[in-house]
């Protein structure tokens, strides 16, 4: 019997609808609460002891993060794809390598490609109620584009949680106590989330993205101790090898850890409101950050672990907690994870791989035998950091035992040109603390940066300065079993020649397969317009701020 064309089309459509319905039914469709903190690295008290040596995690106290770890899964080896805000978030939102996101691969001057699918909008289209507070994707144009720009923003209660120390001190100057100032700021977190929950329709799953930026510089000097009780001297003997263990640096790190504890306090409010909403039993909770510590050597804008390793805690409804997973996971894995959870179609060709099966396994240790490596990289951060607005191109291959780094332009300065950084007044007027762009602009302004420059000619500390700002060789190799802080480059050591060759070949093959513009074609894509255009939204290089403190710049 010959079927009519109309009948054939009808049957095909029915088959398609059936398949889609089946896929939606199979998806758990959990609610998703996602806290993603700016510049927050792998710092939480639940990581204490996991590295087998004294670290900053021995001092920080994060009871809310620890609760998510206790009731869920702690990932020991979680890495961003790029240690710079916008490219990291381009990769996070899409699941792609950062270098496959067009102008989303750079920081200043970034423009979002609307043709790239992003997990928030895919979940919206799959029937989710979505909302966000604070930073999702920026700096760039349009801000927060992968989340629908500002149409899903819940921020009317206020933005004080983004600048904890500044906002706390302002309230204390009005006569509030530390505790009262804290509660007033946390009330904004509470009210923004409550408004989001109030707007959801019964039975409809939701995604809430909480993008606090309080861990981004600047911080009020001494705020770690004043607001959070972190004694700088408690950090003595616990700093990584690339940080001078001196009072000024310990205080600076204590202030950063204080902002990290502020993130934890904000998470605590979200968890409290989630419990009271009645949705906790059906909510996937994810907690992480976009790269390592800012304003210090080896951190933000670097491919060492201090720059690319981050905390990652995930609580899954109905799955046992208290797990520690050793698999190497990438933040871009979260995009397909969220898509699978929500029943959205996962695009092809992603760098990220869904974590759903791993999360549901209930297992600890190495769960997926294939998750043994990650790739990290960077191109341009601050637009005017170097002459010609050029990037510092790097790629790295990280395995259990080694970090291999390829520096594609070793003639350039990794943290940017010197500019005015060495002028005496840059130290005496604290410009190096207040103004990132005065020199070495790919390292945020900070007391640590200022101290390093001030002590550059001191024989005892010259190495720290050179490590932070000096030129780097074409290849770097670190044996993390012997050198966990990655300060001894063994790339030229004959004993490691075979390892270096194997890691270099693996990195270049995967980059070539991924069509990384840095290793395909003429390799000059990121060294040419529009990637080298000056950002229209950025301040002028070397401009001295009119006053100290104030709102932080999103760089």
């Amino acid at each position: 019997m010959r079927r009519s064309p109309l009948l054939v089309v009808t049957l095909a459509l029915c088959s398609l609808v059936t398949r889609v319905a089946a896929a939606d039914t199979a998806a758990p469709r959990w609610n998703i609460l996602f806290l993603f903190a700016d510049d927050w690295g792998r710092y939480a008290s639940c990581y204490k002891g996991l590295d087998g040596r004294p670290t900053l995690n021995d001092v920080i106290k994060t009871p809310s993060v620890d609760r998510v770890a206790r009731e869920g899964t702690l990932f020991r080896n979680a890495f961003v794809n790029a240690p710079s805000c916008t490219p990291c978030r381009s990769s996070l939102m899409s699941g792609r390598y950062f270098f496959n996101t067009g102008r989303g691969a750079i920081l200043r001057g970034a423009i979002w490609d609307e043709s790239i699918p992003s997990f928030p909008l895919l979940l919206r289209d799959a029937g989710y109620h979505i909302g966000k507070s604070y930073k999702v994707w920026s700096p760039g144009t349009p801000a927060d584009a992968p989340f629908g720009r500002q149409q899903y923003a819940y921020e009317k209660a206020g933005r004080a949680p983004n600048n904890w120390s500044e906002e706390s001190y302002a309230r204390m100057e009005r006569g509030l106590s530390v505790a009262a100032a804290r509660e007033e700021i946390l009330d904004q977190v509470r009210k923004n989330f409550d408004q989001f929950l109030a707007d959801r329709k019964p039975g409809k799953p939701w995604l809430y993205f909480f993008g606090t930026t309080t861990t981004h510089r600047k911080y009020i000097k001494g705020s770690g101790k004043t607001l959070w009780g972190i004694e700088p001297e408690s950090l003595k003997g616990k700093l990584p090898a690339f940080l001078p263990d001196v009072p000024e640096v310990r205080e600076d790190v204590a202030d950063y850890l204080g902002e990290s504890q502020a993130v934890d306090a904000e998470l605590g409010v979200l968890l409290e409101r989630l419990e009271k909403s009645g949705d906790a039993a059906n909510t996937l909770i994810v907690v992480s950050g976009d790269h390592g510590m800012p304003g210090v050597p080896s951190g933000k804008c670097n491919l060492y672990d201090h720059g690319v390793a981050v905390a990652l805690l995930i609580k899954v409804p109905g799955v046992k907690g208290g797990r520690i997973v050793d698999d190497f996971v990438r933040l871009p894995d979260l995009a397909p994870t969220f898509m699978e959870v929500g029943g959205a179609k996962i695009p092809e060709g992603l760098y990220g791989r869904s974590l759903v099966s791993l999360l549901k396994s209930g297992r600890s240790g190495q769960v997926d035998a294939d998750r043994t490596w990650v790739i990290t990289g960077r191109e341009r951060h601050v637009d005017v950091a170097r002459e010609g607005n050029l990037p510092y191109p790097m790629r790295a291959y990280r395995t259990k035992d080694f970090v291999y780094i390829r520096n594609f332009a070793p003639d350039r300065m990794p943290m940017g040109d010197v500019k005015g950084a060495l002028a005496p007044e840059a130290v005496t007027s604290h410009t190096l603390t207040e103004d990132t762009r005065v020199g070495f602009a790919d390292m945020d302004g900070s007391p640590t940066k200022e101290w390093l420059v001030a002590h550059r000619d001191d024989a005892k500390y010259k190495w720290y300065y050179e490590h932070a700002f000096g030129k780097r060789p074409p290849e770097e190799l670190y044996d993390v079993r012997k050198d966990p802080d990655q300060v001894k480059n063994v790339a030229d050591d004959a004993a490691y020649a075979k390892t270096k060759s194997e890691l270099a070949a693996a990195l270049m093959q995967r980059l070539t397969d991924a069509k990384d513009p840095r290793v395909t074609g003429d390799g000059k894509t990121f060294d040419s317009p529009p990637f080298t255009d000056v950002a229209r939204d950025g301040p002028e290089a070397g401009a001295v701020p009119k006053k100290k403190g104030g709102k932080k710049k999103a760089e």
Side-chain angles (χ1 to χ4, degrees):
M1 179 178 72
R2 185 176 183 181
R3 294 176 175 173
S4 69
L6 179 60
L7 179 60
V8 171
V9 172
T10 301
L11 290 172
L13 287 173
C14 289
S15 176
L16 176 61
V17 170
T18 300
R19 289 198 303 273
V20 171
D24 288 345
T25 300
R29 305 275 291 176
W30 298 315
N31 307 313
I32 301 169
L33 172 59
F34 185 19
L35 182 148
F36 195 62
D38 217 16
D39 292 23
W40 181 46
R42 192 175 174 272
Y43 303 107
S45 43
C46 53
Y47 282 93
K48 178 180 179 180
L50 293 185
D51 296 322
R53 60 194 175 100
T55 70
L56 304 181
N57 291 320
D58 296 348
V59 175
I60 191 172
K61 294 179 175 60
T62 53
S64 298
V65 174
D66 296 358
R67 175 187 169 187
V68 177
R70 187 171 60 253
E71 298 177 358
T73 300
L74 178 152
F75 288 85
R76 189 194 296 263
N77 298 302
F79 297 85
V80 299
N81 189 219
S84 171
C85 296
T86 305
C88 169
R89 291 160 185 268
S90 296
S91 181
L92 171 76
M93 292 288 121
S94 66
R96 299 183 177 197
Y97 283 101
F98 81 97
F99 51 69
N100 289 149
T101 62
R103 289 179 69 175
I106 61 176
L107 184 96
R108 286 292 180 188
I111 295 178
W112 180 253
D113 181 349
E114 302 280 1
S115 70
I116 296 176
S118 62
F119 77 79
L121 300 185
L122 288 175
L123 289 178
R124 176 200 64 185
D125 295 345
Y128 270 63
H129 167 52
I130 70 170
K132 66 97 179 176
S133 293
Y134 316 135
K135 181 175 178 176
V136 174
W137 184 85
S138 74
T141 305
D144 297 342
F147 211 100
R149 308 186 188 189
Q150 305 308 315
Q151 62 179 310
Y152 303 110
Y154 287 84
E155 302 174 3
K156 290 182 179 179
R159 298 177 57 85
N162 283 332
N163 297 278
W164 196 277
S165 61
E166 300 98 315
E167 295 285 350
S168 293
Y169 274 67
R171 285 161 173 76
M172 290 158 62
E173 289 174 1
R174 299 202 314 261
L176 270 64
S177 66
V178 170
R182 180 180 303 179
E183 181 54 33
E184 193 171 282
I185 295 170
L186 289 177
D187 195 48
Q188 294 185 13
V189 176
R190 186 177 297 111
K191 288 178 178 176
N192 284 329
F193 188 35
D194 283 352
Q195 186 58 59
F196 167 79
L197 292 174
D199 285 350
R200 76 194 189 283
K201 294 180 180 179
K204 189 172 187 176
W206 51 261
L207 161 69
Y208 183 66
F209 187 110
F210 184 78
T212 180
T213 65
T214 196
T215 26
H216 195 297
R217 291 187 183 269
K218 307 170 189 175
Y219 326 128
I220 300 295
K221 192 173 183 180
S223 57
K225 180 176 180 178
T226 300
L227 301 179
W228 302 100
I230 300 174
E231 290 287 347
E233 289 306 296
S234 69
L235 296 171
K236 195 169 185 178
K238 300 179 180 69
L239 297 184
F242 45 79
L243 287 180
D245 201 345
V246 297
E248 294 87 347
V249 175
R250 290 195 290 269
E251 182 181 53
D252 190 28
V253 173
D255 293 344
Y256 170 79
L257 295 181
E259 301 289 344
S260 300
Q261 291 191 189
V263 172
D264 185 79
E266 294 167 3
L267 173 62
V269 169
L270 296 175
L271 296 177
E272 172 204 356
R273 303 313 292 172
L274 179 64
E275 290 286 347
K276 291 187 176 180
S277 74
D279 285 350
N282 194 42
T283 299
L284 177 72
I285 301 171
V286 181
V287 180
S288 193
D290 68 354
H291 51 67
M293 189 185 298
V296 297
S298 294
K300 180 178 181 177
C301 286
N302 289 277
L303 303 188
Y304 312 116
D305 283 3
H306 194 60
V308 294
V310 291
L312 178 61
L313 302 307
I314 302 180
K315 179 183 177 183
V316 181
V319 177
K320 74 174 183 178
R323 300 162 57 200
I324 298 176
V325 169
D326 294 335
D327 296 46
F328 277 66
V329 300
R330 317 113 176 200
L331 267 288
D333 290 340
L334 294 176
T337 299
F338 295 148
M339 294 173 195
E340 182 176 347
V341 165
K345 182 180 179 181
I346 299 175
E348 296 181 355
L350 300 186
Y351 169 49
R353 296 170 51 207
S354 174
L355 297 168
V356 170
S357 61
L358 184 155
L359 291 168
K360 287 184 173 181
S361 72
R363 294 168 54 194
S364 294
Q366 186 72 33
V367 178
D368 183 339
D370 294 330
R371 291 185 181 272
T372 58
W373 59 273
V374 296
I375 286 175
T376 60
R378 64 163 285 199
E379 288 290 338
R380 193 176 82 173
H381 186 66
V382 172
D383 49 347
V384 294
R386 290 167 202 83
E387 185 177 358
N389 311 316
L390 291 170
Y392 190 79
M394 312 167 72
R395 302 290 185 271
Y397 196 74
R398 174 68 156 90
T399 65
K400 179 176 179 290
D401 296 330
F402 295 98
V403 179
Y404 171 79
I405 300 174
R406 177 70 184 275
N407 298 309
F408 290 96
D411 58 312
R412 301 176 193 169
M413 299 292 283
M415 290 294 103
D417 294 343
V418 176
K419 297 185 183 289
L422 304 187
E425 60 270 19
V427 173
T428 58
S429 66
H430 302 297
T431 307
L432 282 163
T433 291
E434 299 296 328
D435 179 17
T436 291
R437 293 171 172 239
V438 69
F440 302 129
D442 280 345
M443 181 185 289
D444 287 8
S446 71
T448 295
K449 181 178 181 179
E450 181 179 303
W451 192 95
L452 290 166
V453 171
H455 291 80
R456 66 188 182 277
D457 294 326
D458 186 326
K460 184 177 180 181
Y461 299 113
K462 186 177 179 62
W463 175 87
Y464 294 97
Y465 172 84
E466 293 295 337
H467 172 76
F469 304 115
K471 289 184 178 180
R472 300 174 187 176
E475 294 179 292
E476 298 176 66
L477 178 65
Y478 300 94
D479 185 340
V480 296
R481 298 167 299 183
K482 301 176 181 178
D483 179 22
D485 290 327
Q486 294 132 55
V487 295
K488 183 181 179 181
N489 183 10
V490 296
D492 293 332
D493 188 329
Y496 290 93
K498 183 174 184 292
T499 296
K500 184 179 78 170
S501 177
E502 291 173 348
L503 293 174
L507 173 64
M508 294 305 292
Q509 185 61 59
R510 292 190 188 279
L511 295 178
T512 301
D513 292 346
K515 298 181 174 56
D516 181 353
R518 182 54 68 181
V519 302
T520 58
D522 65 2
K524 301 296 184 182
T525 298
F526 292 122
D527 293 335
S528 308
F531 295 97
T532 54
D533 292 347
V534 175
R536 289 174 293 178
D537 61 338
E540 292 296 321
V544 177
K546 293 182 180 179
K547 63 179 182 178
K548 297 180 181 180
K551 299 297 181 182
K552 49 186 70 109
K553 298 187 294 292
E555 291 184 335

